[in-house]
Amino acid sequence: MEIRIATFEDCRALAELHVHVWQHAYRGVLPKHYLAALSVSEREAMWRRMVELEPGQLLVACAAGEVVGFVAFGASRDEEAPIDRAEIFAIYVNVACWSMGAGRLLWQQARQRIMEEGYKSVSLWVLANNERALRFYERAGFAVDPQSRKPFELGDAIVEELRYVRRVG
């Protein structure tokens, strides 16, 4: 498996993977109509902006020439975050490749780049009932910030997010 910096040519595959994983992972969590309405075109535009504005902060995992996962990261967007905290904005792996090491490799490469940029810690937000993701992040050394639980509305459903944090060194 190869981990590399995403290019504009990857953005359509990233968008398709992003929508597919959401539709699978959040089935039963988010309303069916919301998941069915997810737009590959909108996600593609979002990933194109990231490739353009934040080069090197969107990595892809490729197997047999196909994009099977990605990770996006940068400075923490949390208002109260210390200036030396990065954030994982997204990490997704094709459902067919779950538990095959792609997520771990993406995290390791992102962590290396985050350290090289001088960050001391990294955070991420995850839906509180996304058990698979919670296990992944805990195995990767993240710990929940118990004061971070926040509800919000997504597709006519009230869901809760948790912030996970860890040192990068």
Side-chain angles (χ1 to χ4, degrees), residues 1 42 45 61 97 107 112 117 122 134 163:
M1 185 160 317
E42 287 175 13
C97 298
W107 158 240
Q112 183 62 40
E117 291 178 18
V122 61
L134 298 176
R163 179 176 42 227

Side-chain angles (χ1 to χ4, degrees), residues 22 26 29-31 34 43 127 152-159:
W22 265 62
Y26 299 127
V29 175
L30 297 174
Y34 177 81
R43 300 288 166 113
L127 293 183
F152 69 100
E153 186 174 337
L154 187 61
D156 300 331
I158 301 297
V159 293

Side-chain angles (χ1 to χ4, degrees), residues 4-26:
R4 62 173 173 74
I5 295 172
T7 66
F8 286 115
E9 291 75 27
D10 296 317
C11 291
R12 183 69 180 189
L14 291 173
E16 290 170 352
L17 185 146
H18 196 176
V19 167
H20 175 73
V21 172
W22 265 62
Q23 289 171 337
H24 184 84
Y26 299 127

Side-chain angles (χ1 to χ4, degrees), residues 96-163:
C97 298
W98 282 359
S99 299
M100 298 175 78
R104 183 176 36 79
L105 290 172
L106 286 163
W107 158 240
Q108 289 170 346
Q109 286 294 313
R111 179 179 171 211
Q112 183 62 40
R113 289 178 176 270
I114 287 167
M115 286 190 310
E116 289 169 1
E117 291 178 18
Y119 292 104
K120 303 294 184 215
S121 65
V122 61
S123 65
L124 56 86
W125 287 91
V126 61
L127 293 183
N129 56 356
N130 188 342
E131 303 272 333
R132 181 178 197 83
L134 298 176
R135 284 191 308 271
F136 174 83
Y137 296 128
E138 288 168 6
R139 281 192 306 264
F142 285 85
V144 68
D145 173 355
Q147 305 303 316
S148 69
R149 185 177 291 268
K150 67 178 180 183
F152 69 100
E153 186 174 337
L154 187 61
D156 300 331
I158 301 297
V159 293
E160 285 189 316
E161 272 187 314
L162 297 170
R163 179 176 42 227

